Amino acid sequence: MQFSRTELQIITELAKGNTSINTVAKALNKSEKHIYRLLQKLEEKDLASISAGKIIPKKSTLMVRLTRVLDSYPNLIPLLADSGISILISLLEAKTVDEITEEADVKKSTVYAFLKKALKISLVKKDGDLYA
């Protein structure tokens, strides 16, 4: 499952207690229409719903964990956006770059870019050719 940077920013705003579409739009400096379109994507991913201009986060395990992580570490948003979460999930067990590329179904250059950033902030560790 992939998330855009703005989808992750919306989840961060929900973690802060901002549930009004208007409030989230202002906090992210985006139009309400843009936020609404992204909320429809979050609805499709079964992470949130919309009712009377309010965003209602689902109580799914993924949503609960994302809100906790992003609330505590909002600087992870650029790393987790797009294919970042898929790559991170593939690293639950130590793997080589080729194995990560295959499992996450992304380009090798994307994996290397992710690993470079993740190593820099100690999110992953390297042991020989294996990353975890």
Side-chain angles (χ1 to χ4, degrees):
M1 185 177 301
Q2 294 189 3
F3 295 90
S4 71
R5 186 178 294 216
T6 308
E7 286 174 319
L8 293 174
Q9 289 171 326
I10 290 169
I11 293 170
T12 302
E13 289 301 314
L14 293 174
K16 294 176 184 175
N18 294 333
T19 59
S20 159
I21 292 175
N22 181 285
T23 304
V24 171
K26 285 180 182 176
L28 301 181
N29 199 26
K30 306 281 183 190
S31 72
E32 287 184 37
K33 287 181 181 182
H34 185 82
I35 297 301
Y36 185 78
R37 281 193 305 273
L38 291 173
L39 285 170
Q40 288 176 318
K41 290 182 180 184
L42 290 176
E43 274 187 309
E44 290 169 10
K45 295 173 183 174
D46 201 32
L47 296 176
S49 60
I50 307 166
S51 178
K54 295 284 184 188
I55 308 162
I56 303 161
K58 299 280 180 141
K59 303 262 188 252
S60 69
T61 302
L62 178 59
M63 185 61 165
V64 169
R65 289 187 179 170
L66 278 173
T67 53
R68 285 183 189 160
V69 167
L70 295 174
D71 187 40
S72 299
Y73 306 100
N75 58 327
L76 288 179
I77 290 173
L79 190 63
L80 298 177
D82 304 316
S83 57
I85 290 177
S86 299
I87 294 170
L88 194 58
I89 289 170
S90 75
L91 289 167
L92 292 175
E93 295 178 10
K95 291 185 176 63
T96 65
V97 170
D98 288 334
E99 291 169 332
I100 298 165
T101 300
E102 185 176 326
E103 188 171 318
D105 194 28
V106 294
K107 295 178 183 177
K108 195 177 282 193
S109 60
T110 303
V111 172
Y112 277 118
F114 176 90
L115 292 172
K116 181 179 178 182
K117 293 174 191 172
L119 285 166
K120 187 175 183 178
I121 63 169
S122 301
L123 186 61
V124 298
K125 293 181 181 181
K126 183 178 180 184
D127 184 13
D129 288 341
L130 297 177
Y131 294 88

